[in-house]
Amino acid sequence: MSSGTAGGDLRQAIIDICCALARDGLTHGTSGNVSIRRDAQSFFISPTGMAYDVLEPADIPLVDIAGKWFGTRRPSSEWRFHRDILKARADASAIVHTHSRHATALACTGRPIPAFHYMVAVAGGEDIRCAPYASFGSQALSDHAVAALDGRKACLLANHGVIALGASVEAAFKLAGEVENLAAQYCQALAIGDVRILGQAEMREVIEKFRTYGSQDLAEPGLIRGGQPS
Ligand SMILES: [Zn+2]
C-alpha cells in the first residue's frame, strides 16, 4: 500500500470486519466499531450510526491524532479511545470494539476474566482486565481503556463492552471473538460454581508457548509457517 492511495483497501477492510462482526453475532444493530491505522498521524474508523450492510468505502472517515476528521460521515463516537490506543500501542494496527453479549454481561458486574482457562493468555497475560466505568466517548473512558490494556491485547469496559487490538484487523476481530467465547465459558463456569483458577506458573508457561509458537487459532497472518515443528 502506498501512502498516496486514498486508503480504499483499508476502508473496505473496515466494512468487511463490521459485516463479519454482525454475521458472527458479536454486534447488534450499529453498536461496535472498527479502526485501522493508516500511518503515525491518522486512522480510518467506522462511521457513527450506520447499518453495516449499506456501508461503502466513501462512508469511512479518516481521523487524525488531533481528533480532526475527514470524510462525508462522522466517525464513531468512540474515536477517542481508538486514537489513544493506536497512539499508545505501536504493536496495534487495528482495534475492534463490540458490545458482545457475554463479555458485556460480565463487564456489567465489573469483573475481569481471570485465568479460568488457559486461552485467557491469547490476550497477552494472566487475565483480561475490566476498565472502570466512564461515559461513552469520554476522555476518562479512553484513559481507563489504555491503562487496562497495558501488557494486554484486550480488555472489558465496565457496564459497556470489549476492546480487542491486533497487528492486523483480522487478528483484532479474531481476538474479539475469542474474548466473547471465553466470557461465555466463564459465565457458565460461574453458574456451576467453584471455578478453578490457573496459577501464575501455569499461565506463564502458556504465555511463553503462545509467544514461541503462536496460538493455533489466533496467530497473526504471516506468522503461520508451513512444515512440521522442529
Ligand atoms: Zn461501545
PDB file of all heavy atoms in Angstrom, residues 77-101:
ATOM      1  N   SER A  77     -18.583   7.634  17.727  1.00  0.00           N
ATOM      2  CA  SER A  77     -18.429   8.466  18.933  1.00  0.00           C
ATOM      3  C   SER A  77     -17.278   7.964  19.808  1.00  0.00           C
ATOM      4  O   SER A  77     -16.823   8.675  20.697  1.00  0.00           O
ATOM      5  CB  SER A  77     -19.731   8.481  19.733  1.00  0.00           C
ATOM      6  OG  SER A  77     -20.106   7.160  20.060  1.00  0.00           O
ATOM      7  N   GLU A  78     -16.795   6.744  19.550  1.00  0.00           N
ATOM      8  CA  GLU A  78     -15.681   6.194  20.338  1.00  0.00           C
ATOM      9  C   GLU A  78     -14.324   6.428  19.689  1.00  0.00           C
ATOM     10  O   GLU A  78     -13.340   5.772  20.047  1.00  0.00           O
ATOM     11  CB  GLU A  78     -15.883   4.697  20.571  1.00  0.00           C
ATOM     12  CG  GLU A  78     -17.122   4.325  21.360  1.00  0.00           C
ATOM     13  CD  GLU A  78     -17.103   4.794  22.805  1.00  0.00           C
ATOM     14  OE1 GLU A  78     -16.286   5.657  23.187  1.00  0.00           O
ATOM     15  OE2 GLU A  78     -17.944   4.282  23.573  1.00  0.00           O
ATOM     16  N   TRP A  79     -14.236   7.375  18.734  1.00  0.00           N
ATOM     17  CA  TRP A  79     -12.963   7.616  18.036  1.00  0.00           C
ATOM     18  C   TRP A  79     -11.838   7.914  19.023  1.00  0.00           C
ATOM     19  O   TRP A  79     -10.683   7.592  18.774  1.00  0.00           O
ATOM     20  CB  TRP A  79     -13.091   8.773  17.040  1.00  0.00           C
ATOM     21  CG  TRP A  79     -13.410  10.093  17.684  1.00  0.00           C
ATOM     22  CD1 TRP A  79     -14.646  10.609  17.912  1.00  0.00           C
ATOM     23  CD2 TRP A  79     -12.466  11.039  18.215  1.00  0.00           C
ATOM     24  NE1 TRP A  79     -14.534  11.821  18.562  1.00  0.00           N
ATOM     25  CE2 TRP A  79     -13.222  12.117  18.750  1.00  0.00           C
ATOM     26  CE3 TRP A  79     -11.072  11.088  18.283  1.00  0.00           C
ATOM     27  CZ2 TRP A  79     -12.617  13.225  19.350  1.00  0.00           C
ATOM     28  CZ3 TRP A  79     -10.467  12.193  18.885  1.00  0.00           C
ATOM     29  CH2 TRP A  79     -11.237  13.249  19.405  1.00  0.00           C
ATOM     30  N   ARG A  80     -12.178   8.498  20.185  1.00  0.00           N
ATOM     31  CA  ARG A  80     -11.139   8.935  21.118  1.00  0.00           C
ATOM     32  C   ARG A  80     -10.310   7.769  21.659  1.00  0.00           C
ATOM     33  O   ARG A  80      -9.085   7.817  21.700  1.00  0.00           O
ATOM     34  CB  ARG A  80     -11.784   9.703  22.267  1.00  0.00           C
ATOM     35  CG  ARG A  80     -10.866  10.624  23.007  1.00  0.00           C
ATOM     36  CD  ARG A  80     -11.624  11.337  24.118  1.00  0.00           C
ATOM     37  NE  ARG A  80     -12.647  12.243  23.646  1.00  0.00           N
ATOM     38  CZ  ARG A  80     -12.426  13.525  23.310  1.00  0.00           C
ATOM     39  NH1 ARG A  80     -11.213  14.024  23.396  1.00  0.00           N
ATOM     40  NH2 ARG A  80     -13.418  14.274  22.894  1.00  0.00           N
ATOM     41  N   PHE A  81     -11.000   6.679  22.088  1.00  0.00           N
ATOM     42  CA  PHE A  81     -10.163   5.575  22.608  1.00  0.00           C
ATOM     43  C   PHE A  81      -9.435   4.850  21.489  1.00  0.00           C
ATOM     44  O   PHE A  81      -8.336   4.339  21.695  1.00  0.00           O
ATOM     45  CB  PHE A  81     -10.887   4.667  23.600  1.00  0.00           C
ATOM     46  CG  PHE A  81     -11.973   3.748  23.110  1.00  0.00           C
ATOM     47  CD1 PHE A  81     -11.745   2.784  22.154  1.00  0.00           C
ATOM     48  CD2 PHE A  81     -13.245   3.826  23.687  1.00  0.00           C
ATOM     49  CE1 PHE A  81     -12.750   1.904  21.759  1.00  0.00           C
ATOM     50  CE2 PHE A  81     -14.260   2.961  23.299  1.00  0.00           C
ATOM     51  CZ  PHE A  81     -14.015   1.997  22.316  1.00  0.00           C
ATOM     52  N   HIS A  82     -10.025   4.830  20.284  1.00  0.00           N
ATOM     53  CA  HIS A  82      -9.288   4.258  19.153  1.00  0.00           C
ATOM     54  C   HIS A  82      -7.999   5.060  18.941  1.00  0.00           C
ATOM     55  O   HIS A  82      -6.916   4.491  18.787  1.00  0.00           O
ATOM     56  CB  HIS A  82     -10.142   4.300  17.883  1.00  0.00           C
ATOM     57  CG  HIS A  82     -11.254   3.285  17.875  1.00  0.00           C
ATOM     58  ND1 HIS A  82     -11.135   2.055  17.263  1.00  0.00           N
ATOM     59  CD2 HIS A  82     -12.506   3.318  18.410  1.00  0.00           C
ATOM     60  CE1 HIS A  82     -12.274   1.381  17.408  1.00  0.00           C
ATOM     61  NE2 HIS A  82     -13.124   2.124  18.106  1.00  0.00           N
ATOM     62  N   ARG A  83      -8.111   6.369  18.928  1.00  0.00           N
ATOM     63  CA  ARG A  83      -6.930   7.218  18.717  1.00  0.00           C
ATOM     64  C   ARG A  83      -5.900   6.999  19.821  1.00  0.00           C
ATOM     65  O   ARG A  83      -4.713   6.798  19.547  1.00  0.00           O
ATOM     66  CB  ARG A  83      -7.331   8.697  18.717  1.00  0.00           C
ATOM     67  CG  ARG A  83      -6.112   9.598  18.604  1.00  0.00           C
ATOM     68  CD  ARG A  83      -6.418  11.026  18.957  1.00  0.00           C
ATOM     69  NE  ARG A  83      -6.850  11.181  20.359  1.00  0.00           N
ATOM     70  CZ  ARG A  83      -7.179  12.345  20.904  1.00  0.00           C
ATOM     71  NH1 ARG A  83      -7.148  13.429  20.165  1.00  0.00           N
ATOM     72  NH2 ARG A  83      -7.555  12.422  22.167  1.00  0.00           N
ATOM     73  N   ASP A  84      -6.355   7.023  21.070  1.00  0.00           N
ATOM     74  CA  ASP A  84      -5.397   6.961  22.179  1.00  0.00           C
ATOM     75  C   ASP A  84      -4.714   5.600  22.267  1.00  0.00           C
ATOM     76  O   ASP A  84      -3.532   5.510  22.621  1.00  0.00           O
ATOM     77  CB  ASP A  84      -6.104   7.301  23.493  1.00  0.00           C
ATOM     78  CG  ASP A  84      -6.534   8.762  23.539  1.00  0.00           C
ATOM     79  OD1 ASP A  84      -6.118   9.541  22.654  1.00  0.00           O
ATOM     80  OD2 ASP A  84      -7.302   9.124  24.454  1.00  0.00           O
ATOM     81  N   ILE A  85      -5.440   4.532  21.941  1.00  0.00           N
ATOM     82  CA  ILE A  85      -4.827   3.198  21.962  1.00  0.00           C
ATOM     83  C   ILE A  85      -3.825   3.069  20.813  1.00  0.00           C
ATOM     84  O   ILE A  85      -2.709   2.588  20.999  1.00  0.00           O
ATOM     85  CB  ILE A  85      -5.905   2.090  21.902  1.00  0.00           C
ATOM     86  CG1 ILE A  85      -6.770   2.120  23.165  1.00  0.00           C
ATOM     87  CG2 ILE A  85      -5.248   0.719  21.736  1.00  0.00           C
ATOM     88  CD1 ILE A  85      -8.071   1.325  23.048  1.00  0.00           C
ATOM     89  N   LEU A  86      -4.211   3.526  19.615  1.00  0.00           N
ATOM     90  CA  LEU A  86      -3.277   3.449  18.484  1.00  0.00           C
ATOM     91  C   LEU A  86      -2.020   4.280  18.760  1.00  0.00           C
ATOM     92  O   LEU A  86      -0.913   3.911  18.364  1.00  0.00           O
ATOM     93  CB  LEU A  86      -3.958   3.909  17.191  1.00  0.00           C
ATOM     94  CG  LEU A  86      -5.015   2.952  16.631  1.00  0.00           C
ATOM     95  CD1 LEU A  86      -5.785   3.595  15.481  1.00  0.00           C
ATOM     96  CD2 LEU A  86      -4.394   1.627  16.164  1.00  0.00           C
ATOM     97  N   LYS A  87      -2.203   5.388  19.486  1.00  0.00           N
ATOM     98  CA  LYS A  87      -1.072   6.255  19.837  1.00  0.00           C
ATOM     99  C   LYS A  87      -0.170   5.582  20.862  1.00  0.00           C
ATOM    100  O   LYS A  87       1.058   5.636  20.776  1.00  0.00           O
ATOM    101  CB  LYS A  87      -1.627   7.557  20.433  1.00  0.00           C
ATOM    102  CG  LYS A  87      -0.885   8.806  20.038  1.00  0.00           C
ATOM    103  CD  LYS A  87      -1.784  10.014  20.254  1.00  0.00           C
ATOM    104  CE  LYS A  87      -1.351  10.842  21.440  1.00  0.00           C
ATOM    105  NZ  LYS A  87      -2.242  12.001  21.659  1.00  0.00           N
ATOM    106  N   ALA A  88      -0.796   4.922  21.844  1.00  0.00           N
ATOM    107  CA  ALA A  88      -0.035   4.326  22.951  1.00  0.00           C
ATOM    108  C   ALA A  88       0.612   2.994  22.569  1.00  0.00           C
ATOM    109  O   ALA A  88       1.582   2.575  23.195  1.00  0.00           O
ATOM    110  CB  ALA A  88      -0.952   4.116  24.156  1.00  0.00           C
ATOM    111  N   ARG A  89       0.053   2.329  21.547  1.00  0.00           N
ATOM    112  CA  ARG A  89       0.457   0.961  21.264  1.00  0.00           C
ATOM    113  C   ARG A  89       1.001   0.792  19.846  1.00  0.00           C
ATOM    114  O   ARG A  89       0.240   0.646  18.886  1.00  0.00           O
ATOM    115  CB  ARG A  89      -0.740   0.037  21.474  1.00  0.00           C
ATOM    116  CG  ARG A  89      -1.232   0.014  22.912  1.00  0.00           C
ATOM    117  CD  ARG A  89      -0.226  -0.659  23.827  1.00  0.00           C
ATOM    118  NE  ARG A  89      -0.118  -2.062  23.495  1.00  0.00           N
ATOM    119  CZ  ARG A  89      -0.834  -3.019  24.081  1.00  0.00           C
ATOM    120  NH1 ARG A  89      -1.691  -2.716  25.037  1.00  0.00           N
ATOM    121  NH2 ARG A  89      -0.677  -4.270  23.731  1.00  0.00           N
ATOM    122  N   ALA A  90       2.333   0.770  19.759  1.00  0.00           N
ATOM    123  CA  ALA A  90       2.962   0.585  18.450  1.00  0.00           C
ATOM    124  C   ALA A  90       2.645  -0.794  17.883  1.00  0.00           C
ATOM    125  O   ALA A  90       2.716  -1.007  16.669  1.00  0.00           O
ATOM    126  CB  ALA A  90       4.473   0.777  18.572  1.00  0.00           C
ATOM    127  N   ASP A  91       2.298  -1.753  18.769  1.00  0.00           N
ATOM    128  CA  ASP A  91       2.011  -3.117  18.309  1.00  0.00           C
ATOM    129  C   ASP A  91       0.594  -3.244  17.736  1.00  0.00           C
ATOM    130  O   ASP A  91       0.236  -4.291  17.211  1.00  0.00           O
ATOM    131  CB  ASP A  91       2.197  -4.119  19.454  1.00  0.00           C
ATOM    132  CG  ASP A  91       1.297  -3.820  20.664  1.00  0.00           C
ATOM    133  OD1 ASP A  91       1.000  -2.630  20.912  1.00  0.00           O
ATOM    134  OD2 ASP A  91       0.910  -4.772  21.351  1.00  0.00           O
ATOM    135  N   ALA A  92      -0.198  -2.196  17.845  1.00  0.00           N
ATOM    136  CA  ALA A  92      -1.585  -2.260  17.362  1.00  0.00           C
ATOM    137  C   ALA A  92      -1.713  -1.565  16.013  1.00  0.00           C
ATOM    138  O   ALA A  92      -1.328  -0.404  15.865  1.00  0.00           O
ATOM    139  CB  ALA A  92      -2.520  -1.606  18.369  1.00  0.00           C
ATOM    140  N   SER A  93      -2.253  -2.298  15.049  1.00  0.00           N
ATOM    141  CA  SER A  93      -2.559  -1.688  13.748  1.00  0.00           C
ATOM    142  C   SER A  93      -4.053  -1.503  13.588  1.00  0.00           C
ATOM    143  O   SER A  93      -4.489  -0.809  12.671  1.00  0.00           O
ATOM    144  CB  SER A  93      -2.054  -2.565  12.609  1.00  0.00           C
ATOM    145  OG  SER A  93      -0.661  -2.632  12.654  1.00  0.00           O
ATOM    146  N   ALA A  94      -4.817  -2.173  14.443  1.00  0.00           N
ATOM    147  CA  ALA A  94      -6.271  -2.119  14.298  1.00  0.00           C
ATOM    148  C   ALA A  94      -6.929  -2.403  15.642  1.00  0.00           C
ATOM    149  O   ALA A  94      -6.352  -3.079  16.507  1.00  0.00           O
ATOM    150  CB  ALA A  94      -6.732  -3.145  13.276  1.00  0.00           C
ATOM    151  N   ILE A  95      -8.150  -1.872  15.783  1.00  0.00           N
ATOM    152  CA  ILE A  95      -8.903  -2.050  17.024  1.00  0.00           C
ATOM    153  C   ILE A  95     -10.343  -2.427  16.689  1.00  0.00           C
ATOM    154  O   ILE A  95     -10.943  -1.851  15.773  1.00  0.00           O
ATOM    155  CB  ILE A  95      -8.885  -0.746  17.855  1.00  0.00           C
ATOM    156  CG1 ILE A  95      -7.451  -0.437  18.285  1.00  0.00           C
ATOM    157  CG2 ILE A  95      -9.800  -0.855  19.072  1.00  0.00           C
ATOM    158  CD1 ILE A  95      -7.268   0.942  18.830  1.00  0.00           C
ATOM    159  N   VAL A  96     -10.851  -3.403  17.435  1.00  0.00           N
ATOM    160  CA  VAL A  96     -12.257  -3.804  17.290  1.00  0.00           C
ATOM    161  C   VAL A  96     -12.930  -3.612  18.645  1.00  0.00           C
ATOM    162  O   VAL A  96     -12.411  -4.065  19.674  1.00  0.00           O
ATOM    163  CB  VAL A  96     -12.358  -5.282  16.839  1.00  0.00           C
ATOM    164  CG1 VAL A  96     -13.796  -5.779  16.935  1.00  0.00           C
ATOM    165  CG2 VAL A  96     -11.832  -5.440  15.412  1.00  0.00           C
ATOM    166  N   HIS A  97     -14.054  -2.916  18.633  1.00  0.00           N
ATOM    167  CA  HIS A  97     -14.819  -2.689  19.863  1.00  0.00           C
ATOM    168  C   HIS A  97     -16.227  -3.231  19.660  1.00  0.00           C
ATOM    169  O   HIS A  97     -16.858  -2.940  18.648  1.00  0.00           O
ATOM    170  CB  HIS A  97     -14.870  -1.194  20.172  1.00  0.00           C
ATOM    171  CG  HIS A  97     -15.903  -0.829  21.193  1.00  0.00           C
ATOM    172  ND1 HIS A  97     -15.892  -1.342  22.470  1.00  0.00           N
ATOM    173  CD2 HIS A  97     -16.990  -0.021  21.135  1.00  0.00           C
ATOM    174  CE1 HIS A  97     -16.926  -0.847  23.136  1.00  0.00           C
ATOM    175  NE2 HIS A  97     -17.619  -0.052  22.343  1.00  0.00           N
ATOM    176  N   THR A  98     -16.686  -4.052  20.602  1.00  0.00           N
ATOM    177  CA  THR A  98     -18.044  -4.606  20.492  1.00  0.00           C
ATOM    178  C   THR A  98     -18.754  -4.527  21.845  1.00  0.00           C
ATOM    179  O   THR A  98     -18.126  -4.278  22.882  1.00  0.00           O
ATOM    180  CB  THR A  98     -18.046  -6.093  20.072  1.00  0.00           C
ATOM    181  OG1 THR A  98     -17.667  -6.898  21.198  1.00  0.00           O
ATOM    182  CG2 THR A  98     -17.121  -6.354  18.901  1.00  0.00           C
ATOM    183  N   HIS A  99     -20.064  -4.762  21.777  1.00  0.00           N
ATOM    184  CA  HIS A  99     -20.871  -4.957  22.984  1.00  0.00           C
ATOM    185  C   HIS A  99     -21.343  -6.410  22.979  1.00  0.00           C
ATOM    186  O   HIS A  99     -22.515  -6.686  23.209  1.00  0.00           O
ATOM    187  CB  HIS A  99     -22.085  -4.027  22.995  1.00  0.00           C
ATOM    188  CG  HIS A  99     -21.758  -2.568  22.978  1.00  0.00           C
ATOM    189  ND1 HIS A  99     -22.716  -1.586  22.902  1.00  0.00           N
ATOM    190  CD2 HIS A  99     -20.558  -1.923  23.040  1.00  0.00           C
ATOM    191  CE1 HIS A  99     -22.123  -0.391  22.906  1.00  0.00           C
ATOM    192  NE2 HIS A  99     -20.818  -0.570  22.985  1.00  0.00           N
ATOM    193  N   SER A 100     -20.446  -7.332  22.654  1.00  0.00           N
ATOM    194  CA  SER A 100     -20.854  -8.737  22.513  1.00  0.00           C
ATOM    195  C   SER A 100     -21.459  -9.238  23.832  1.00  0.00           C
ATOM    196  O   SER A 100     -21.072  -8.820  24.925  1.00  0.00           O
ATOM    197  CB  SER A 100     -19.679  -9.594  22.065  1.00  0.00           C
ATOM    198  OG  SER A 100     -18.665  -9.624  23.023  1.00  0.00           O
ATOM    199  N   ARG A 101     -22.410 -10.131  23.696  1.00  0.00           N
ATOM    200  CA  ARG A 101     -23.345 -10.450  24.787  1.00  0.00           C
ATOM    201  C   ARG A 101     -22.693 -10.887  26.106  1.00  0.00           C
ATOM    202  O   ARG A 101     -22.921 -10.277  27.148  1.00  0.00           O
ATOM    203  CB  ARG A 101     -24.296 -11.559  24.311  1.00  0.00           C
ATOM    204  CG  ARG A 101     -25.399 -11.894  25.297  1.00  0.00           C
ATOM    205  CD  ARG A 101     -26.236 -13.029  24.767  1.00  0.00           C
ATOM    206  NE  ARG A 101     -26.830 -12.679  23.483  1.00  0.00           N
ATOM    207  CZ  ARG A 101     -28.116 -12.366  23.315  1.00  0.00           C
ATOM    208  NH1 ARG A 101     -28.927 -12.379  24.343  1.00  0.00           N
ATOM    209  NH2 ARG A 101     -28.583 -12.068  22.123  1.00  0.00           N
TER     210      ARG A 101
END
